[in-house]
Amino acid sequence: MGDDPEEGMLSWDESVFRDEHVFEIDYVPETFKHREGQTQSLTYALRPAVRGSRPLNVVVRGPPGTGKTTAIQKLFDEVGAQTSEVRTIRVNCQVNATRYSVFSRLFEGTFDYEPPSSGISFKKLFGQIAEKLVEEDRVLVVALDDINYLFYENEASDTLYSLLRAHEEYPGAKIGVIVVSSDPALDVIDELDSRVQSVFRPEDVYFPVYDQPEIVDILEERITRGFHEGVIGRGTLEYVAELTAESGDLRVGIDLLRRAGLNAEMRASRTVERQDVEDAYEKSKYINLSRSLSGLTDTERTLLEVIAEYDGERAGDVYEAFHDRTELGYTRYSEIVNKLDQLGLIDADYADVDGRGRSRSLSLSYEKEAVLDRLE
């Protein structure tokens, strides 16, 4: 055998990727397509902030993977480039799911260091943020990304109330709020306390699912930036777009491209074939499942595991097993069931059971094996 690797085969130090980072979840694309209307509405809402006034509040809605976070990141970058009078902070509510931790994040964004770990009262935490704003005469724009997680913990109303009424306690504090929800079943305004509803009159910006031609267009751009030329043919791209459109989530498509590329490399191939995509889809289709699981506490994971093991059996048995493993009572059990239901991990329906009245039937929203594999 000669020194040259076979034609069409990768040598060990080559890659199909030009830049693998292009396929990561937190990558902000340079060109942001098919969201001109939404971007315009958001820019309009923030315009007063650039002039030093309180911006309009906004509710951004749309299913996962429709460009909501990217739109906000691009907008915040733009505002930052234009003026230093506005401080923008994006809070990931899946990570910061209580009012206190949201404000810890705001503290960190304001002072560039974390609040003392010894714990300081919420009032003090809030006071320091507001005083700093007034002192610097800056406008604060807060994006509560995936606020649905604050609702699942019953923290949304308190958090918003504090932000929206800040100027009453700290005259001169100017705060605008962009609320982002990726749970189509959640009616943000409806679920808030009336005391919040009366001060929260947001603009509404909706992000619909991308259609197939738009998906092709967006993925094509990623392919150009992320892969070497000729790695992915038109037919393969169309197939990826088809699977992505089926899921309604652009992130599935981006993850598919990355995994299919890795599969091609495993075969030492210079091109990604349909089979690489098919194999990758077995993992990529569960990207939302993995994302939901990553935010669960140990107790929540335990209950999900029990539900998976008892899939389709009596809810009473699930509670017994959960109680045996965690020693937690029915109230906490019931709260977690609601949260797992809201996260779309399980379906909790009330069913009439012979002679026993109504009972809850709990079933998984995903294949049992897929859930148990990922919980391990």
Side-chain angles (χ1 to χ4, degrees):
M1 196 181 146
D3 287 341
D4 293 337
E6 286 175 57
E7 200 40 53
M9 298 296 277
L10 286 172
S11 61
W12 67 272
D13 59 346
E14 289 183 299
S15 169
V16 295
F17 294 104
R18 187 190 306 252
D19 178 6
E20 207 178 326
H21 179 53
V22 168
F23 304 106
E24 281 166 19
I25 199 97
D26 53 0
Y27 174 78
V28 180
E30 282 178 45
T31 46
F32 184 45
K33 299 176 161 179
H34 308 295
R35 287 296 179 249
E36 290 77 15
Q38 289 84 349
T39 304
Q40 226 171 336
S41 304
L42 285 167
T43 307
Y44 171 75
L46 284 204
R47 203 165 283 149
V50 179
R51 294 195 298 262
S53 315
R54 188 179 303 116
L56 302 172
N57 297 317
V58 187
V59 169
V60 171
R61 295 178 303 121
T66 49
K68 302 181 300 295
T69 300
T70 303
I72 282 164
Q73 283 170 317
K74 302 267 304 172
L75 179 73
F76 280 7
D77 288 347
E78 227 163 88
V79 169
Q82 272 184 35
T83 170
S84 56
E85 304 298 302
V86 180
R87 176 176 277 122
T88 56
I89 303 175
R90 179 180 153 262
V91 182
N92 173 353
C93 298
Q94 188 180 2
V95 178
N96 304 105
T98 64
R99 177 177 73 161
Y100 191 88
S101 76
V102 166
F103 275 84
S104 297
R105 173 75 194 86
L106 297 179
F107 183 97
E108 198 186 330
T110 303
F111 293 97
D112 288 327
Y113 57 85
E114 290 181 13
S117 54
S118 57
I120 85 177
S121 73
F122 171 74
K123 204 171 157 50
K124 212 164 173 181
L125 188 65
F126 183 20
Q128 291 187 348
I129 297 166
E131 279 159 19
K132 177 91 166 157
L133 270 185
V134 176
E135 175 196 324
E136 293 184 335
D137 194 22
R138 270 180 159 178
V139 180
L140 173 63
V141 181
V142 179
L144 296 173
D145 206 350
D146 278 334
I147 192 170
N148 25 305
Y149 288 95
L150 289 182
F151 281 98
Y152 307 152
E153 304 294 342
N154 286 321
E155 294 271 345
S157 288
D158 285 348
T159 305
L160 275 172
Y161 192 73
S162 297
L163 287 167
L164 297 166
R165 306 293 294 259
H167 60 278
E168 291 181 9
E169 219 169 315
Y170 303 93
K174 290 173 266 200
I175 301 179
V177 184
I178 302 175
V179 161
V180 186
S181 167
S182 51
D183 180 352
L186 175 76
D187 186 331
V188 172
I189 304 294
D190 251 21
E191 292 292 324
L192 290 166
D193 297 355
S194 52
R195 63 188 173 124
V196 184
Q197 285 179 359
S198 63
V199 288
F200 189 46
R201 297 255 182 268
E203 308 287 305
D204 191 55
V205 181
Y206 186 70
F207 284 67
V209 171
Y210 293 110
D211 63 25
Q212 199 158 334
E214 289 172 339
I215 291 170
V216 170
D217 198 23
I218 294 165
L219 293 182
E220 201 164 23
E221 171 112 11
R222 296 277 174 121
I223 288 170
T224 308
R225 288 182 189 278
F227 284 115
H228 289 300
E229 217 167 311
V231 169
I232 293 202
R234 187 72 196 179
T236 313
L237 165 59
E238 295 281 354
Y239 180 51
V240 171
E242 208 175 297
L243 293 172
T244 308
E246 245 168 71
S247 73
D249 183 345
L250 190 67
R251 288 180 307 196
V252 169
I254 291 168
D255 194 65
L256 254 180
L257 290 174
R258 185 178 66 86
R259 288 182 195 273
L262 293 171
N263 287 348
E265 288 195 342
M266 294 263 290
R267 297 187 296 114
S269 163
R270 288 177 183 279
T271 54
V272 172
E273 303 304 329
R274 190 186 172 103
Q275 189 59 49
D276 295 317
V277 176
E278 273 174 32
D279 297 344
Y281 189 57
E282 285 311 302
K283 292 218 165 69
S284 294
K285 66 180 173 186
Y286 292 121
I287 183 171
N288 274 325
L289 169 61
S290 303
R291 193 162 170 265
S292 299
L293 294 181
S294 71
L296 297 181
T297 63
D298 289 346
T299 315
E300 291 160 353
R301 294 171 80 94
T302 303
L303 178 54
L304 188 60
E305 206 172 317
V306 173
I307 293 170
E309 288 161 11
Y310 286 79
D311 203 16
E313 295 181 38
R314 236 162 43 82
D317 299 336
V318 173
Y319 171 64
E320 292 300 321
F322 173 73
H323 177 70
D324 287 345
R325 286 187 208 180
T326 60
E327 298 187 344
L328 290 167
Y330 195 80
T331 314
R332 190 70 194 107
Y333 162 77
S334 186
E335 284 170 6
I336 299 175
V337 166
N338 285 336
K339 179 173 174 181
L340 295 176
D341 187 21
Q342 289 170 319
L343 280 171
L345 289 167
I346 65 170
D347 293 306
D349 292 317
Y350 285 95
D352 289 311
V353 183
D354 301 332
R356 289 218 324 275
R358 288 165 71 68
S359 160
R360 237 176 175 187
S361 77
L362 307 175
S363 58
L364 290 173
S365 309
Y366 293 90
E367 288 149 43
K368 179 176 175 173
E369 296 316 315
V371 174
L372 289 171
D373 282 354
R374 282 165 183 75
L375 278 172
E376 271 166 28

